[in-house]
């Protein structure tokens, strides 16, 4: 990917000529900046005595790539039963890979850029790891799920979708294993017409802990039991959020099992989000839908009680919410810390701060948060890592746990979301009495869309015909190709055609130009129009309203010889 500044690196398909929303098939075209017309009667002006159009409340967000859409929890792959496999039920063999269809499934559209999935390794026979990646590229050999022989493990990951609508998983162990992939949602692509959710980050705050009674009763979740907890309004999760991004932790288990998490008041999907056993504390990231009241339910699918901790990581707000949050773009994976398969050593009880923005081709500015894989190898002593905003206060809420002397062959792996500092840095703290190898690979990033300027130099030309030309210059400070939206009304303020009537995407600083579709306007009638500039789902304020009257009698005479 490109390492250019700003957000020009996010190069979605450029549409310089776009069909308008009118039934007549009008076209908006992009041109260079226009010179002012020499004829005063060809330039639109503010007109008195005309009722200005009332477009009504404008949506704060329009469709753009990188917005999140939650999907019902659904298994797109389960090798135990042949789900998602062309050849029927079969374990994924040692060194083998499998492409899994994800578009056209569970409501995921063909142009989805990434999917959020939970990947499980089950019935494992050897230690190693799984990689999950875009099927269009070679296996990056960056661990997505650590695999331990005889133990079920899982991780949530955000995987880019290939041009054929698949994601791939590869088995980097010496033995066959069953693999389960559970879909939780997707990020929108360039042709989506309905806006999705945008992301807000939250501080690392523990809001539920059954061992202390925080946010719930002070008691483990019994075998087959459930607890319902309040999430929105807690730990930085905004009221009105429809999805929470949280870290689930299962601890103090006496035997194995798994947890499910889902919107309170809905049916338990029965699909695991976190496996656990009695050996240690298990943690994973989860995108969990919330009820209208902002609550989620967690159910213990195990044969014995288990304690639960829940730490906030972020949230998704619906498109009706303001202000607009961050949008997502997949990358890499690209390694930003650690230069070898065993990672870079972090000293006992020490912290390291490293640069993310501008590293390994990532953009130097605009990053809010990154999705990444953190791998721990060769821990000398048991403990945990914290990963957090560069130079910030250590939240002391474990990102991942590890055991002394373990992970020498593969390591512990965790997929997380991590905030970056204003200078684009992260910090890792090793909470153990021994050294540990660490590697960090970024797989995606969230960036805040910026409100573009109001369109300028609006013109109405050729008003002596019933097909005048409407145009205005649109700009975007980040260097993206902005979209100009034209709204046309009659003299009473009634909209003509769609809302907007026409749209066109051009290079920043150029004019969007629309020759009005024949048959739309009538001679002698007065009309009004205005424009907005939109980019990455965010639109500017409306331009001043322009008014014009069609007067075919004012047509200039034909030139004489």
């Amino acid at each position: 990917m490109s390492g250019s500044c700003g957000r020009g690196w996010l190069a979605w398909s450029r549409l310089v000529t776009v069909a308008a929303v009118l039934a007549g098939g009008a076209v908006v075209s992009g041109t260079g900046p226009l010179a002012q017309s020499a004829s005063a009667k060809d330039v639109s002006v503010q007109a008195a005595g005309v009722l200005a159009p009332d477009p009504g409340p404008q949506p704060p967000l329009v469709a753009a790539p990188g917005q999140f859409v939650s999907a019902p929890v659904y298994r797109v792959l389960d090798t135990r039963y042949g789900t998602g496999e062309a050849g029927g039920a079969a374990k994924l063999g040692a060194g083998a890979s499998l492409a899994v269809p994800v578009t056209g499934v569970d409501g995921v559209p063909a142009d989805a850029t990434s999917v959020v999935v939970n990947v499980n390794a089950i019935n494992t026979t050897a230690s190693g790891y799984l990689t999950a990646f875009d099927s269009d590229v070679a296996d990056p050999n960056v661990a997505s799920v650590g695999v331990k022989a005889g133990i079920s493990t899982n991780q949530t990951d955000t995987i880019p979708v290939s041009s054929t609508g698949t994601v791939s998983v590869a088995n980097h162990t010496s033995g066959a294993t069953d693999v389960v992939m559970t879909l939780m949602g997707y990020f929108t692509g360039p042709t989506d017409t309905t806006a999705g959710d945008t992301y807000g980050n939250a501080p690392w705050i523990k809001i539920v802990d059954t061992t202390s009674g925080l946010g719930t009763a002070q008691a483990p979740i019994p075998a087959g039991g459930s607890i319902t907890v309040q999430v929105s309004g807690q730990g930085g999760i905004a009221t009105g959020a429809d999805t929470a991004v949280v870290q689930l932790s299962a601890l103090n288990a006496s035997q194995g099992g798994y947890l499910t998490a889902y919107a309170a008041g809905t049916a338990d999907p029965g699909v695991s989000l976190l496996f656990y056993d009695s050996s240690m504390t298990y943690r994973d990231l989860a995108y969990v839908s919330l009820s209208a009241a902002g609550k989620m339910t967690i159910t213990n699918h195990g044969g014995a009680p288990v304690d639960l901790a829940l730490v906030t990581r972020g949230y998704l707000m619906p498109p009706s919410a303001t202000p607009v949050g961050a949008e997502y773009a997949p990358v890499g994976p690209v390694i930003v810390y650690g230069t070898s398969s065993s990672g870079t050593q972090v000293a006992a009880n020490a912290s390291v701060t490293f640069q993310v923005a501008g590293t390994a081709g990532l953009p130097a500015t605009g990053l809010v948060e990154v999705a990444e894989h953190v791998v721990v190898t060769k821990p000398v002593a048991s403990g945990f890592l914290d990963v957090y905003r560069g130079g910030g206060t250590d939240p002391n809420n474990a990102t991942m746990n590890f055991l002394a002397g373990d992970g020498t062959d593969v390591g512990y792996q965790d997929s997380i979301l991590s905030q970056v500092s204003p200078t684009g840095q992260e910090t890792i703290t090793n909470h153990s009495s021994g050294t540990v190898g660490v590697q960090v690979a970024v797989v995606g990033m969230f960036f805040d869309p910026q409100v573009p300027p109001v369109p300028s130099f609006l013109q109405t030309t050729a008003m002596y015909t019933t097909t005048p030309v409407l145009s205005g210059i649109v700009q975007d400070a980040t260097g993206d190709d902005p979209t100009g939206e034209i709204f046309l009304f009659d003299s009473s303020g009634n909209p003509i055609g769609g809302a907007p009537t026409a749209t066109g995407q051009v290079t920043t600083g150029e004019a969007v130009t629309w020759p009005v579709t024949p048959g739309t306007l009538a001679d002698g009638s007065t009309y009004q129009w205005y424009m907005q500039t939109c980019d990455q789902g965010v639109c500017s304020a409306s331009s001043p309203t322009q008014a014009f009257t069609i007067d075919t009698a004012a047509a200039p005479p034909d030139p004489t010889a």
Side-chain angles (χ1 to χ4, degrees):
M1 65 172 289
S2 169
S4 58
C5 296
R7 286 191 290 118
W9 51 268
L10 190 60
W12 304 110
S13 299
R14 181 179 298 183
L15 303 176
V16 177
T17 302
V18 187
V21 188
L22 281 177
V27 168
V28 176
S29 63
T31 69
L34 300 180
Q36 183 158 348
S37 170
S39 171
K41 66 182 179 183
D42 280 349
V43 180
S44 62
V45 296
Q46 293 293 108
V50 177
L51 181 62
D54 179 10
Q58 296 298 303
L61 186 72
V62 298
Q67 297 166 357
F68 179 75
V69 178
S70 180
V73 175
Y74 182 84
R75 279 187 174 159
V76 293
L77 173 68
D78 192 334
T79 60
R80 297 172 299 176
Y81 308 110
T83 303
E85 289 182 289
K91 284 186 173 183
L92 185 62
S97 62
L98 174 67
V100 183
V102 292
T103 61
V105 178
D106 203 25
V108 179
D111 74 333
T113 56
S114 300
V115 288
V116 178
V117 295
N118 188 271
V119 183
N120 308 114
I122 303 174
N123 301 323
T124 57
T125 57
S127 295
Y129 58 93
L130 303 180
T131 57
F133 54 98
D134 177 352
S135 303
D136 284 338
V137 302
D139 181 353
N141 201 24
V142 174
S144 296
V145 182
V147 178
K148 298 289 183 181
I151 298 176
S152 295
T153 57
N154 63 284
Q155 286 294 324
T156 294
D157 204 356
T158 304
I159 310 172
V161 178
S162 75
S163 58
T164 56
T166 63
V167 298
S168 287
V169 59
N171 177 10
H172 290 263
T173 78
S174 60
T177 183
D178 279 312
V179 181
V180 175
M181 186 179 292
T182 302
L183 181 71
M184 291 183 280
Y186 65 91
F187 287 98
T188 56
T191 63
D192 278 282
T193 57
T194 301
D197 289 4
T198 54
Y199 179 77
N201 54 31
W204 284 48
I205 297 178
K206 186 182 293 184
I207 61 172
V208 175
D209 189 341
T210 59
T211 66
S212 65
L214 175 66
T216 188
Q218 187 177 0
I221 306 174
S226 302
I227 61 171
T228 295
V229 297
Q230 182 68 42
V231 177
S232 68
Q234 308 294 316
I237 304 294
T239 300
D242 56 18
T243 301
V245 184
V246 295
Q247 183 192 61
L248 297 172
S249 299
L251 57 160
N252 301 326
S254 61
Q255 55 183 273
Y258 66 90
L259 301 178
T260 58
Y262 47 97
T266 64
D268 181 356
V271 178
S272 60
L273 287 184
L274 178 64
F275 279 101
Y276 62 83
D277 63 24
S278 60
S279 65
M280 60 182 293
T281 297
Y282 285 83
R283 310 182 194 276
D284 193 17
L285 191 72
Y287 287 64
V288 184
S289 296
L290 302 178
S291 69
K295 297 182 178 183
M296 76 168 64
T297 297
I298 301 97
T299 297
N300 175 20
H301 292 264
V306 64
D307 278 309
L308 169 80
L310 190 153
V311 176
T312 56
R313 302 302 296 269
Y315 57 91
L316 283 305
M317 293 295 285
S320 58
T322 54
V324 171
E327 294 164 340
Y328 181 83
V331 298
V334 292
I335 295 174
V336 294
Y337 184 79
T339 57
S340 68
S341 59
S342 60
T344 296
Q345 292 294 306
V346 179
N349 299 309
S351 298
V352 294
T353 296
F354 55 95
Q355 189 68 32
V356 177
T359 299
L362 297 178
T365 60
L367 294 187
V368 175
E369 192 149 336
V370 290
E372 60 191 15
H373 297 165
V374 180
V375 180
V376 164
T377 57
K378 301 180 180 177
V380 172
S382 298
F384 64 91
L385 288 188
D386 269 335
V387 185
Y388 51 99
R389 182 196 302 264
T393 302
D394 182 354
N396 202 31
N397 286 319
T399 299
M400 61 191 305
N401 294 75
F402 48 83
L403 298 176
D406 203 359
T408 55
D409 52 349
V410 176
Y412 295 92
Q413 189 276 339
D414 199 7
S415 297
I416 68 167
L417 299 183
S418 179
Q419 297 179 25
V420 297
S421 71
T423 57
Q425 295 182 320
E426 288 183 81
T427 295
I428 291 176
T429 299
N430 173 15
H431 289 269
S432 80
S433 58
T435 59
V436 63
V438 179
Q439 184 186 78
V440 180
V442 172
V443 297
M445 50 196 165
F446 289 94
F447 55 93
D448 274 332
Q450 300 181 28
V451 178
V454 174
S456 61
F457 197 55
L458 272 64
Q459 288 188 306
T460 309
T461 58
M463 291 178 287
Y464 50 81
T465 74
T466 57
T467 57
V469 176
L470 314 182
S471 65
I473 293 175
V474 293
Q475 301 181 68
D476 182 82
T478 65
D480 283 356
D481 296 344
T483 297
E485 296 189 340
I486 295 174
F487 298 79
L488 180 63
F489 301 83
D490 64 19
S491 59
S492 299
N494 299 310
I496 296 173
T501 315
T503 65
Q505 188 176 31
V506 297
T507 300
T508 184
E510 293 187 349
V512 170
T513 301
W514 179 43
V516 177
T517 305
T520 302
L521 308 181
D523 188 23
S525 296
T526 297
Y527 300 93
Q528 311 156 80
W529 67 284
Y530 67 84
M531 286 185 69
Q532 292 178 331
T533 304
C534 300
D535 180 53
Q536 295 300 324
V538 181
C539 294
S540 70
S542 300
S543 71
T545 299
Q546 312 294 302
F548 64 95
T549 299
I550 300 297
D551 182 6
T552 58
D558 293 333
T560 58

